[in-house]
Amino acid sequence: MDLLENVVGMVVVEVEVPPAVAVLLGVAGRRSRHHLPHTLPHGAPGAALSAPFLPQALNELALGSPSLVVLPLDVTDAGSIGAAAGQVQEELRGAGLGLLINNTGARRRSTLETETAENMALLYATNTVGPLQVTQAFLPLLREAAEAGRGQGLSCSRAAVVNVSSAMGSIGVAAAWGDAQDISYRCSKAALNMLTKCQALQYGDSGILCVAIDPGCVEPAPGRESGPVTMEESTQGVLRVLAGLSASSNGTFWDWRGQRLPW
């Protein structure tokens, strides 16, 4: 079963509820498209830009929340990333970006016997290189927010990068091995975890908090109507985790329940 998410996604920016938030997500993945309505502030005033390829729920959310700005993005294309960052900068009108959530992702079913070089390269490009390049492009805006909050400790209310990872990429846990080997996915998420640690070491002194988080499995297994974690449980859990992060959390890995995960 091919679970490849569409890497041509979008940037959703909440521009009028400080600090500004940018959520990067693919349009084909169930977890990505359904998390957004629960994650962003509800009913905030402002202006929205929609696009015809967006899921209906996201279109409705954007049209009903004028401060949401929705922009197209391909995380595997440097030109697309640069254009999105430029448009976000224009929308922020000199303000910084307080929170960047890298939530694009791709996954393909595989085993050690069936894994291919093509899958490995594709998933690394999407799940690891994509968040690297997106964060590089948005870094000036994150630094502006961090500088504006000088004197505050590290937190998601100052400036932060949140990389959406998976316990399947934890070397210490290697979650769900008996259910799905998915080698390329696991390796790409393990690499994303190392990227998160490197970002924390580099950007922490600049006032930017960097963490990885596993939102749980909300994707139902074949033959089941729902995943082991409901969307509401996952999103509310993630929000609680983000609200509680501080300087001591920089460079760490968490799950939606607030439990710290080993790398």
Side-chain angles (χ1 to χ4, degrees), residues 15-260:
V15 296
E16 293 194 1
V17 178
V21 178
V23 182
L24 287 289
L25 68 159
V27 302
R30 174 172 177 169
R31 180 175 66 184
S32 299
R33 68 173 181 258
H34 290 285
H35 261 81
L36 182 66
H38 299 274
T39 304
L40 294 179
H42 177 69
L49 171 65
S50 188
F53 61 83
L54 302 184
Q56 182 178 355
L58 179 56
N59 268 318
E60 292 174 353
L61 176 68
L63 293 174
S65 303
S67 64
L68 296 184
V69 179
V70 182
L71 305 169
L73 172 69
D74 180 346
V75 300
T76 65
D77 182 90
S80 177
I81 294 171
Q87 289 176 284
V88 170
Q89 183 176 26
E90 290 180 9
E91 293 292 339
L92 294 179
R93 298 180 178 87
L97 180 66
L99 177 61
L100 173 65
I101 303 177
N102 285 311
N103 190 35
T104 53
R107 179 176 171 182
R108 280 184 168 172
R109 293 294 194 201
S110 68
T111 67
L112 281 170
E113 287 72 27
T114 64
E115 190 56 86
T116 66
E118 178 186 7
N119 281 353
M120 294 289 286
L122 176 61
L123 268 62
Y124 265 83
T126 306
N127 297 347
T128 309
V129 180
L132 168 67
Q133 293 186 310
V134 167
T135 304
Q136 289 172 333
F138 283 84
L139 185 59
L141 295 175
L142 289 161
R143 282 179 167 154
E144 286 184 25
E147 183 62 26
R150 178 182 287 273
Q152 302 177 24
L154 295 182
S155 73
C156 288
S157 62
R158 182 184 178 186
V161 175
V162 177
N163 293 323
V164 177
S165 188
S166 170
M168 292 178 68
S170 165
I171 295 175
V173 174
W177 177 259
D179 297 325
Q181 293 188 12
D182 296 354
I183 306 304
S184 53
Y185 180 75
R186 290 178 183 275
C187 291
S188 67
K189 288 298 186 178
L192 177 64
N193 290 344
M194 174 53 83
L195 173 64
T196 303
K197 186 66 175 183
C198 293
Q199 291 171 331
L201 292 171
Q202 182 68 18
Y203 304 143
D205 289 342
S206 299
I208 302 172
L209 173 72
C210 300
V211 298
I213 192 163
D214 174 9
C217 181
V218 299
E219 193 81 43
R224 297 181 182 177
E225 294 184 358
S226 62
V229 181
T230 68
M231 190 61 58
E232 188 70 20
E233 290 172 336
S234 174
T235 52
Q236 292 303 316
V238 168
L239 290 175
R240 284 192 295 270
V241 172
L242 297 186
L245 297 177
S246 63
S248 62
S249 313
N250 192 39
T252 56
F253 184 17
W254 300 84
D255 71 7
W256 64 276
R257 297 165 294 189
Q259 297 180 356
R260 185 168 173 177

